Amino acid sequence: MPMDPSSAMLSQALLLLQCIILTLGQYDICKSLVSTDDGPTWEYYACQPKPRSMKEYMQIRVDPPDITCGNPPERFCTLENPYLCSDECDASTKELAHPPKLMQDQERTGLITYWQTVTWGRYPEPLLANISLSWNKSLELADDIQITFEYGRPTKMVLDKSLNYGRTWQPYQYYADDCMDAFGLLPKTMQDLSATNVTRVICTEQYSRWVGSKNEKNVRFEVRERFAIFAGTKLQNMDNLYTRMESMKGLRDFFTFTNLRLRLLRPALGGTYVQRDNLLKYFYAISNIEIPARCKCNLHAGQCSLRDGTLQCDCEHNTTGQDCSACERGFKAKSWKPGSFLPTPNGSPNICEASGTSDKCNCNQLGSFHARCNDTGFCQCREGTTGQKCEDCLPGYTWKQGCMPNVCDDELLLCQNGGSCIQNQKCVCLPSFRGVLCEQPRCQGEKGCDGASACYLSTLTLLLCLLANSLLKVST
């Protein structure tokens, strides 16, 4: 089924813009080099990774396994044309197969692809399907979850979450065309929530009633509207949101999860009761699942990387672990604490402090990985750095806010053809030569070049260059 490319691009652009708005200028760096009376030093801040679309990292499991259509091949109808049953699902044919992985593909070809179940041929036995999504990582929602259904949204479903990698589950939101009939709950909307009950689990009828339009495909779990209760409709008062994250019990955990699960309990019925004479029009089909979220790093990391097939925080503040949830060895003078959003806008990093005698060490913060000693009592020097406090450079390196590899020197890495080595980091060449070490004639191999024409600059320009080289030598 073709999809308007411009609409797809617009949707992706809006998602990116929303994620940018949510993180603009706050908690995006972990440290900054500042000048003090004792020299340059690091100033540390609470920090978190930027949000991203998590669908490309998720693992999908569908239960029961035989709920996916195509084995054996099966015909199906659509609710718009319930008696034109010319479509087919066949797992053995690529063009007719609808495997679970199509819920997370990018659809770059412009064709809508989707996972699909078998039809409701066993009615009145319920047509049930569970879709479990896992990342092996704690995540924090940054925007609305959006599930796109083809051929009708379910009339009854539940979104669950887990905080312990799927060992236990709790409902996130109920969806039904009749909440009281389906779950014994009064229907609610986001307008019914306030600052005091924003974490309440509700049942909504907004996304389940049949409207007879192909454009009504999406089911949402509203995150932005919950943020807006504290930050305003345009999310301009993020300081208030972050303050509430710290002060309101359970608020931050509400947006945290390790796994998500969709329990599909009853397919779209087309606004009528089940018509038993044509059960081929009842099934589930999902083309896309968008989950904008960030890695949960407990405000101890600004980046999250895919390593060994798993998302892991790039921990700062002397912390370690997949979620930066522990202090490194030798940095356990105090119990581990998560970073804090307060005081805004930089928060409190709550750095793990060195333990034992490794605390009087005073490692050079530019030459060492940490300001404190490791558990053996020594500073952990960066590449090219040496000395008790990592304040000196090994041969072949020069100090420049840390030890930098020499580009040139006066012994082994000589600037050639009259070039001058400036602070071991750059060769300044005569006008007729170029290259890192001035090793290449400037006109070599070019049409019309010879030894004489290489000196193509005027005599005045040449003299100025020689004078500049001399001044650079004097200044160093």
Side-chain angles (χ1 to χ4, degrees):
M1 181 181 296
M3 178 176 58
D4 184 2
S6 61
S7 298
M9 291 177 63
L10 178 60
S11 176
Q12 293 175 0
L14 287 174
L15 176 63
L16 178 61
L17 179 61
Q18 291 167 356
C19 290
I20 291 173
I21 290 173
L22 290 174
T23 58
L24 189 60
Q26 290 185 308
Y27 311 107
D28 54 354
I29 60 171
C30 297
K31 59 186 177 183
S32 176
L33 193 62
V34 297
S35 298
T36 67
D37 293 340
D38 297 326
T41 187
W42 290 109
E43 186 171 88
Y44 294 91
Y45 316 114
C47 52
Q48 60 186 356
K50 292 188 181 336
R52 63 177 91 173
S53 174
M54 289 295 172
K55 75 174 183 178
E56 62 182 292
Y57 304 104
M58 66 188 180
Q59 301 295 316
I60 300 178
R61 189 183 79 240
V62 174
D63 293 310
D66 60 354
I67 198 70
T68 299
C69 69
N71 187 21
E74 182 181 11
R75 290 187 304 111
F76 62 93
C77 323
T78 66
L79 290 168
E80 290 85 4
N81 296 296
Y83 294 100
L84 185 62
C85 302
S86 58
D87 295 314
E88 184 177 9
C89 180
D90 185 349
S92 64
T93 305
K94 182 178 180 180
E95 292 76 14
L96 301 177
H98 297 285
K101 66 180 181 180
L102 297 183
M103 287 185 269
Q104 65 185 131
D105 64 334
Q106 299 296 330
E107 297 179 339
R108 292 190 177 96
T109 61
L111 296 176
I112 294 178
T113 56
Y114 50 91
W115 164 79
Q116 183 176 323
T117 69
V118 298
T119 58
W120 204 359
R122 296 182 178 178
Y123 180 84
E125 177 183 327
L127 183 62
L128 306 178
N130 285 349
I131 302 168
S132 300
L133 312 174
S134 61
W135 291 265
N136 194 31
K137 177 76 183 76
S138 297
L139 304 175
E140 295 176 312
L141 287 173
D143 210 325
D144 294 358
I145 296 174
Q146 178 173 291
I147 305 108
T148 304
F149 287 88
E150 300 297 322
Y151 305 113
R153 300 177 293 189
T155 56
K156 184 179 176 182
M157 65 171 274
V158 182
L159 174 64
D160 294 326
K161 78 164 185 174
S162 174
L163 285 166
N164 54 16
Y165 304 97
R167 290 190 290 274
T168 61
W169 296 89
Q170 59 193 76
Y172 233 166
Q173 192 148 291
Y174 296 95
Y175 302 83
D177 59 347
D178 187 327
C179 285
M180 183 58 70
D181 177 68
F183 302 110
L185 298 172
L186 291 174
K188 301 288 183 182
T189 67
M190 287 305 302
Q191 287 67 40
D192 296 312
L193 298 183
S194 65
T196 59
N197 64 0
V198 66
T199 60
R200 181 178 181 178
V201 176
I202 66 171
C203 180
T204 177
E205 297 177 351
Q206 182 176 355
Y207 303 104
S208 304
R209 289 179 172 168
W210 177 253
V211 293
S213 171
K214 282 189 174 183
N215 295 324
E216 297 292 335
K217 296 181 176 183
N218 296 326
V219 172
R220 293 181 179 272
F221 175 71
E222 303 92 341
V223 173
R224 285 179 63 84
E225 291 183 68
R226 286 179 166 88
F227 288 166
I229 291 174
F230 305 108
T233 54
K234 295 183 179 180
L235 303 184
Q236 293 177 332
N237 189 6
M238 294 298 287
D239 281 3
N240 188 46
L241 172 62
Y242 288 128
T243 300
R244 291 299 188 111
M245 287 283 194
E246 290 290 336
S247 61
M248 185 174 175
K249 184 178 179 180
L251 181 59
R252 193 170 178 192
D253 283 344
F254 181 77
F255 299 106
T256 301
F257 62 96
T258 59
N259 301 61
L260 294 173
R261 181 175 67 185
L262 291 174
R263 286 189 281 142
L264 307 179
L265 305 177
R266 190 166 63 216
L269 302 182
T272 65
Y273 295 103
V274 177
Q275 297 177 335
R276 301 188 62 173
D277 60 332
N278 188 9
L279 297 174
L280 300 183
K281 64 181 180 179
Y282 303 123
F283 53 88
Y284 305 104
I286 297 178
S287 62
N288 192 41
I289 300 177
E290 283 292 349
I291 303 175
R294 60 165 55 87
C295 293
K296 182 179 178 67
C297 301
N298 289 292
L299 293 178
H300 287 311
Q303 302 288 333
C304 187
S305 304
L306 189 66
R307 298 194 295 273
D308 301 323
T310 302
L311 287 169
Q312 300 183 40
C313 300
D314 300 338
C315 298
E316 301 273 358
H317 307 157
N318 303 323
T319 62
T320 188
Q322 191 177 18
D323 300 343
C324 306
S325 56
C327 291
E328 289 185 318
R329 290 183 61 188
F331 294 90
K332 299 180 180 179
K334 295 181 179 179
S335 298
W336 175 90
K337 288 178 62 178
S340 171
F341 288 113
L342 301 179
T344 59
N346 294 320
S348 303
N350 294 330
I351 297 172
C352 289
E353 295 185 3
S355 53
T357 57
S358 61
D359 210 24
K360 282 52 149 199
C361 225
N362 196 26
C363 303
N364 187 292
Q365 296 189 51
L366 296 175
S368 173
F369 283 103
H370 306 286
R372 311 288 185 179
C373 293
N374 58 26
D375 54 353
T376 64
F378 294 94
C379 298
Q380 187 178 359
C381 296
R382 296 181 182 274
E383 180 182 357
T385 311
T386 188
Q388 184 177 1
K389 298 181 180 180
C390 304
E391 73 275 28
D392 298 320
C393 292
L394 293 169
Y397 291 81
T398 299
W399 187 270
K400 190 175 182 182
Q401 291 192 342
C403 293
M404 306 293 292
N406 289 351
V407 174
C408 54
D409 56 41
D410 295 327
E411 297 179 2
L412 299 176
L413 300 170
L414 298 175
C415 296
Q416 304 174 23
N417 299 308
S420 301
C421 183
I422 306 301
Q423 296 181 344
N424 298 107
Q425 295 300 303
K426 183 178 182 181
C427 285
V428 176
C429 306
L430 294 176
S432 53
F433 294 92
R434 63 183 178 180
V436 174
L437 297 175
C438 306
E439 72 278 13
Q440 302 176 25
R442 189 171 292 277
C443 286
Q444 186 175 34
E446 297 179 15
K447 186 176 181 180
C449 279
D450 54 33
S453 63
C455 299
Y456 58 89
L457 297 178
S458 66
T459 303
L460 178 59
T461 304
L462 180 59
L463 289 173
L464 288 173
C465 289
L466 291 173
L467 179 60
N469 284 344
S470 299
L471 289 174
L472 287 170
K473 288 182 177 179
V474 171
S475 66
T476 57

